[in-house]
Amino acid sequence: MADEEAGGTEMSDLPSYGDVEADADTDAKERAANNDPEIEQADATEHNTPSEEMKEDDPLITMSQLSATSKSNSPVGSAVPSDSASYNNLKSTLKKKQRAWVDPYEAAVGDTFYHKQIDTLRPKFDLIRQDSNKQALNKLFTVQSVNDMDIKEDHDDDDDNDNPDDVELQEQENDDNDNPDDVELQEQEKQQGAAKKFGPWDGVMAGCLLNIFGVIMFLRVGFVVGQAGILQALIIMAISTAVTVLTALSMSAICTNGTILAGGAYYIISRALGPSIGGAIGILFSIGNMVACSMYLIGFAETMVTNLRELAGFSIFDDPVNDVRVWSNVVLVFVLILAIVGLKYVIKAQLGLLVFISCAILLFFIGSFYRTYTNHEYPCDLPYDAPADPQCVDDVEYISKVTITPQGWTNGNFAENLGSQYVDGYNFWSVLGIFFPAVTGIMAGANISGDLRNPSQDIPQGTLTAIVISTVVYMLMGIFVGAVTDRYELLSNELVMSLICVWEGIVLIGIYAATLSSAIASLVGAPRILQAVANDNLFPFKWLMFFAHADKNGNPIRGYFLSFFVAMACNCIGALNAIAPLISQFFMLTYLLINAACFALTFSKSPAWRPSFKYYNKWTAGFGTLLCLVIMFLLNWVYAVVACVIALSLYGYIEYKDPAINWGSAPEARAYYSVYNSLIKLQKKKQHIKTWRPAFLVLVRDPVNRPQLMLFTQTLKKSHGPLFYATVHTGDYRTNIRKFHAAKSNGYLPKDCPKNAKGFYYSVIADSLRSGVQNCIQLIGAGSLQPNTLVLGFKTKWATDSDAISTEFVQILRDALVMGMGLMVVSGFKRVNWFLKDYAPPAIDQDDEYEAEAEAEADMEEQEEMPPTHLASPSNMSTVQPAAWAAGQAKDTTIDVWWMIDDGGLCMLIPYIMKRHVFWGKCKLRMIMVTEEDSINMDVAAMKDLIKQFRLPYQGPLFVPARKQPSKKTVARYEELAKCKLSEVPRPSVISKWLILSELLFEYSRYSGMNVVTLPIPTKHMKSRAYMALIEMLSDQKRLPPTIVMRGNGESTLTFYSD
């Protein structure tokens, strides 16, 4: 498979790896000059025909092997091809300095990185041969059966048990999980039984108007007009109405998109924006209702104290504020008792109470046409600028003046009250903060959504109707009271509304009734919101569950007492004008999040967002969100900051706890859309070396019970690339593929995986392990988010397994290279304790014969002075105690990277990524290379410069002198494992160098913490057993530390260029 181009420069001047058009004479001269015996032998037999094994199609073939071959007189079908017979068609244009020591046909680590485009120097792995592409393609994807045996392959790390994944899928009954909302709805229906359900008018509109027409209307409309004037008062009412209308539109859209259950605003916000935001606002909205209870009681107490002082001359303290504090708490006790024992009677009386308040409003308008009032203590020294009254002469302090009269429309009072006269430190925004709680009753319908016949229709109809009616009434009242009443009376008399009304007593009774009703509703409603939060298990607070506990009738009596104490604390403030701005913050934040919820749901572009209410769009919701946020800080920035800090703290806590709740929130839907859109946008971006990052496909047997490979790859998360895990089950997918997927995979790791494990998980069924891995490599991923590096464990029992298993394992490696994947074969990771904070190398076994041989070689080296660029053998280091290593006591945290071949730089990049994780953070990286004595000086300077420009934290490079031949013991051990002679293996000179490397690994890196070694290429000529024996020699866990044998796919992963 051809590699993608990594740069943009032309490479016509570079030598081509496997270029069949190279000039023969030049090539012959180069080979002769290089004195390579293997290549010379290949040239000498250039006209020989390859053996039958060479003619077989294989999915793995290098580009250099695609050169044309000539006819030969050598016998066909020779047993095992020699180096010359097998590779007579190879032609390398690599110069000597560009050839890898371990294999002259592969590019050495060196100047190839200085070219932005190096495809012509590195080997490519093509899927098919030019001469027989169909046969090779068929062979690659045809499941082969060896001796009619099912291949049972364990592809996890260090498998010591039989693979149980040859599954015969059984029928499984998967119980459908009930929707939590459906369960909640059924429980509520059982509890309510045949209880009466309300409609849009008697339930929603009546409830909203009863909360809107309350204490602010009777006690503060005159104050607002006196401070702000008629025009600015209308603007204040218009701003408040704009907030409520935009919020009502958003709420109506959400309510008509599905069933709204108990919880009101909390339920709406939590199901739309998720548990984190919903839980935070649920707590704040509950507290806001508790504080609102205090506001209503203070309004009640202010009216009572004024009446007692004026009518009966009774007072407890000289300061009326103290009287308000006392009476508000006395009434609070009465409200608590009434909420516990007589709540049902209060609820039944609400509709009649609304009629009573409506009558009081009507009588107010009637009285404004004829009622007059004379204030006998009208001061001459007014707190604002106003024309002096003719009666105010000499030392007269107070006069008698008509302050309420219908003549105000024409005598100039109306014109005078059009403008503002702010006193006592008030301004436009502080007055808005006092008035805004008057319009916060729009949530009344949502709060009783569980008692409505059709919440999705009743809430929009009733709420919007209530807003229209209340807005008209408030504005008319502001105009009328400003026209007929003197400004001083508006500012000083809280009961000015009662003086205008036909009968003063009806307003007073209306104030008492409305405040008591609203106080009870707030006292009862706050614990129910808290109860809804507790039932969702968002907070593991014991006190929350204690107060949310309900009696047999479903009433949270303990929560009533919590509301009682919070309201009592607020009553001690004793000032309605101080409590109202605080309540405005809580409700403004609630409205902000309702608008944000509607905006997020619309912006998520989820097909599930289909509200039947159409009079909204995302811009109205977005503007409502911004408007609420701005007003919050304009009202009182200190309160706004405190409210936001509390909300963010609760939000952060729930995010940290991450409760297992799935409500299908808008952020989740938007995240899905954003990920999809981002992947589509990546289509326009071409792959570049600077943006390349490893994406791992990890073959695991069981991510829960055998997580060694998964735990290792979790330490590679600092690459910030995707992690894909896959398990291949052998069997017939037609048995029951749907139930298999439901039981085995949902795209993510199982919940019972080790903590903090993240990644994608796939479980597939295939006829064989190889075909399953092929499916995974081809199909896993989406767009640019696809794996590019295969990670799998080395089979420790391959020597005793059948040849079919080894063959399949090697074929998997070949398939990965063919499909452009990098390879990482890990060995010994089962011995690593992944749950330690830092990596601790496991104990290793000691081979006395190998140890003696290594010490003898080290003693010979001691006779000569060691060059400073050479790596010293551990036997020459007095600090190393092999006995301690055998017991697992010494902790040398050095990762030795034996970079033998220019594979694109993956062998150097992966250890660097490992070191960035805290588990490997204390490990030292050491780069080791094998070189010949005559080129060491040149190699040292070049490689140091290369490492410096790559900015990698490696020690070295350290060079190990190459040997001529492996020891007889090493050869004998390899032949024993491979079950064939070294001379019978294709390219024995190359295999000998790999065996020499295994000796060098034991000699120089047996006491390192981990070894990273270049993976030999699994050529098609080498038998699988011979190849498995070679990997075994490079990663022998009886003599070496845990080892990663890896190889890149030739694509550049390192660069020091900026373009």
Side-chain angles (χ1 to χ4, degrees), residues 1-3 59-63 106 123-128 814 816-821 1017-1018 1047-1050:
M1 183 179 296
D3 296 328
L60 181 72
I61 185 167
T62 61
M63 292 298 292
E106 298 208 60
K124 297 190 184 76
F125 308 104
D126 209 341
L127 182 65
I128 52 177
R814 292 173 179 171
L817 292 174
V818 163
M819 298 179 186
M821 301 279 286
I1017 185 170
R1047 183 186 189 95
N1049 64 354

Side-chain angles (χ1 to χ4, degrees), residues 19-336:
D19 188 356
V20 298
E21 303 296 334
D23 184 81
D25 294 336
T26 304
D27 191 36
K29 292 178 181 179
E30 273 190 18
R31 289 195 297 272
N34 293 333
N35 296 322
D36 192 305
E38 182 178 349
I39 299 182
E40 290 176 358
Q41 184 179 9
D43 292 337
T45 58
E46 183 176 3
H47 300 288
N48 292 340
T49 301
S51 65
E52 287 297 322
E53 186 174 351
M54 276 290 293
K55 292 181 179 181
E56 294 179 0
D57 293 321
D58 191 281
L60 181 72
I61 185 167
T62 61
M63 292 298 292
S64 61
Q65 292 170 314
L66 297 180
S67 56
T69 58
S70 303
K71 294 183 180 181
S72 173
N73 297 326
S74 59
V76 179
S78 58
V80 178
S82 64
D83 283 1
S84 58
S86 302
Y87 291 85
N88 59 355
N89 62 333
L90 290 178
K91 292 185 178 182
S92 175
T93 59
L94 292 175
K95 298 180 181 179
K96 184 175 181 180
K97 66 177 183 179
Q98 296 174 331
R99 297 174 181 170
W101 168 82
V102 72
D103 191 339
Y105 290 105
E106 298 208 60
V109 179
D111 64 349
T112 54
F113 281 98
Y114 289 89
H115 305 293
K116 297 181 182 179
Q117 182 178 353
I118 55 177
D119 292 354
T120 55
L121 288 178
R122 292 185 184 142
K124 297 190 184 76
F125 308 104
D126 209 341
L127 182 65
I128 52 177
R129 296 175 66 101
Q130 294 177 342
D131 53 353
S132 55
N133 52 2
K134 294 184 179 180
Q135 293 84 349
L137 186 63
N138 293 334
K139 184 174 181 180
L140 177 62
F141 295 104
T142 300
V143 179
Q144 299 179 358
S145 176
V146 181
N147 296 329
D148 298 327
M149 294 177 58
D150 291 328
I151 298 177
K152 300 179 180 181
E153 176 70 30
D154 178 11
H155 47 276
D156 201 355
D157 177 44
D158 295 335
D159 184 15
D160 296 328
N161 301 316
D162 292 335
N163 186 354
D165 290 337
D166 287 20
V167 294
E168 180 180 355
L169 293 178
Q170 301 176 354
E171 294 293 332
Q172 301 176 0
E173 296 296 334
N174 295 328
D175 296 333
D176 294 333
N177 294 325
D178 292 333
N179 189 318
D181 293 344
D182 295 338
V183 175
E184 185 178 351
L185 181 61
Q186 293 172 4
E187 292 178 354
Q188 286 189 353
E189 289 177 349
K190 292 179 181 179
Q191 293 177 0
Q192 293 171 355
K196 180 183 176 181
K197 294 287 186 177
F198 300 102
W201 317 121
D202 57 343
V204 180
M205 188 190 73
C208 291
L209 290 177
L210 191 59
N211 281 274
I212 294 173
F213 294 154
V215 61
I216 298 296
M217 181 184 71
F218 288 113
L219 297 181
R220 289 297 183 269
V221 169
F223 173 83
V224 171
V225 175
Q227 291 278 355
I230 296 175
L231 293 180
Q232 290 191 21
L234 293 178
I235 295 175
I236 287 174
M237 295 175 184
I239 292 175
S240 302
T241 301
V243 172
T244 56
V245 168
L246 292 173
T247 304
L249 294 177
S250 299
M251 182 179 65
S252 300
I254 297 174
C255 291
T256 57
N257 192 56
T259 303
I260 303 299
L261 303 180
Y266 161 71
Y267 185 91
I268 292 174
I269 295 172
S270 62
R271 269 51 178 183
L273 296 181
S276 300
I277 297 178
I281 200 59
I283 298 294
L284 292 179
F285 192 51
S286 177
I287 296 175
N289 277 272
M290 297 176 188
V291 178
C293 176
S294 173
M295 182 191 72
Y296 297 127
L297 293 175
I298 290 176
F300 183 98
E302 283 185 355
T303 306
M304 175 179 285
V305 169
T306 302
N307 290 337
L308 290 176
R309 284 176 177 266
E310 292 180 355
L311 300 178
F314 175 80
S315 64
I316 302 176
F317 301 96
D318 294 336
D319 188 356
V321 175
N322 290 331
D323 286 0
V324 171
R325 292 167 179 163
V326 172
W327 284 114
S328 60
N329 284 318
V330 170
V331 179
L332 176 61
V333 175
F334 172 74
V335 168
L336 177 63

Side-chain angles (χ1 to χ4, degrees), residues 602-882:
T602 308
F603 195 62
S604 68
K605 301 183 183 298
S606 173
W609 175 244
R610 303 183 303 274
S612 57
F613 183 80
K614 302 300 181 183
Y615 301 101
Y616 84 99
N617 60 48
K618 64 180 179 181
W619 302 119
T620 61
F623 179 72
T625 303
L626 181 62
L627 182 63
C628 291
L629 181 63
V630 172
I631 293 176
M632 279 181 63
F633 283 89
L634 291 176
L635 293 180
N636 190 312
W637 70 269
V638 176
Y639 285 173
V641 169
V642 172
C644 291
V645 168
I646 295 175
L648 289 175
S649 300
L650 294 172
Y651 169 83
Y653 179 81
I654 300 177
E655 280 289 304
Y656 172 75
K657 288 297 183 181
D658 192 18
I661 293 175
N662 182 17
W663 289 332
S665 62
E668 295 172 357
R670 183 63 191 180
Y672 180 92
Y673 173 80
S674 299
V675 170
Y676 166 76
N677 202 32
S678 298
L679 284 174
I680 294 299
K681 289 181 179 179
L682 286 177
Q683 181 181 6
K684 303 177 182 178
K685 306 295 182 182
K686 195 173 182 180
Q687 183 84 20
H688 194 278
I689 303 177
K690 293 194 299 181
T691 61
W692 188 93
R693 64 188 65 212
F696 302 98
L697 172 58
V698 188
L699 298 184
V700 295
R701 175 179 176 183
D702 187 341
V704 177
N705 300 318
R706 310 243 355 234
Q708 287 82 13
L709 268 183
M710 187 191 68
L711 291 171
F712 163 64
T713 50
Q714 287 297 311
T715 65
L716 301 176
K717 291 188 295 186
K718 291 299 182 178
S719 66
H720 303 294
L723 288 173
F724 300 94
Y725 299 92
T727 301
V728 177
H729 301 265
T730 55
D732 188 355
Y733 75 93
R734 294 168 294 184
T735 304
N736 199 328
I737 190 65
R738 291 185 179 181
K739 290 188 176 181
F740 171 80
H741 281 163
K744 294 292 185 180
S745 174
N746 63 350
Y748 296 93
L749 286 172
K751 295 181 180 180
D752 46 0
C753 280
K755 186 179 180 181
N756 298 327
K758 297 178 181 179
F760 305 97
Y761 178 68
Y762 298 88
S763 188
V764 300
I765 306 175
D767 294 334
S768 67
L769 175 64
R770 183 189 181 191
S771 61
V773 175
Q774 288 174 348
N775 293 336
C776 291
I777 294 175
Q778 293 182 92
L779 302 177
I780 286 179
S784 298
L785 200 67
Q786 294 186 359
N788 53 32
T789 305
L790 178 66
V791 183
L792 70 165
F794 182 64
K795 292 194 62 61
T796 57
K797 300 193 304 179
W798 68 272
T800 57
D801 288 336
S802 64
D803 290 343
I805 294 179
S806 298
T807 299
E808 188 176 37
F809 184 86
V810 175
Q811 287 173 336
I812 290 174
L813 302 184
R814 292 173 179 171
D815 293 342
L817 292 174
V818 163
M819 298 179 186
M821 301 279 286
L823 273 175
M824 293 176 61
V825 181
V826 301
S827 180
F829 280 16
K830 191 174 182 180
R831 301 189 292 126
V832 176
N833 187 349
W834 297 102
F835 299 98
L836 296 177
K837 181 180 179 181
D838 302 315
Y839 172 65
I844 60 175
D845 296 332
Q846 293 294 318
D847 189 319
D848 295 337
E849 296 183 9
Y850 274 94
E851 187 70 30
E853 184 177 345
E855 291 180 357
E857 294 174 354
D859 292 339
M860 294 178 61
E861 292 175 358
E862 286 181 352
Q863 298 175 4
E864 301 178 359
E865 183 179 356
M866 293 292 294
T869 55
H870 277 64
L871 176 65
S873 172
S875 300
N876 297 327
M877 301 178 185
S878 59
T879 57
V880 176
Q881 300 178 2

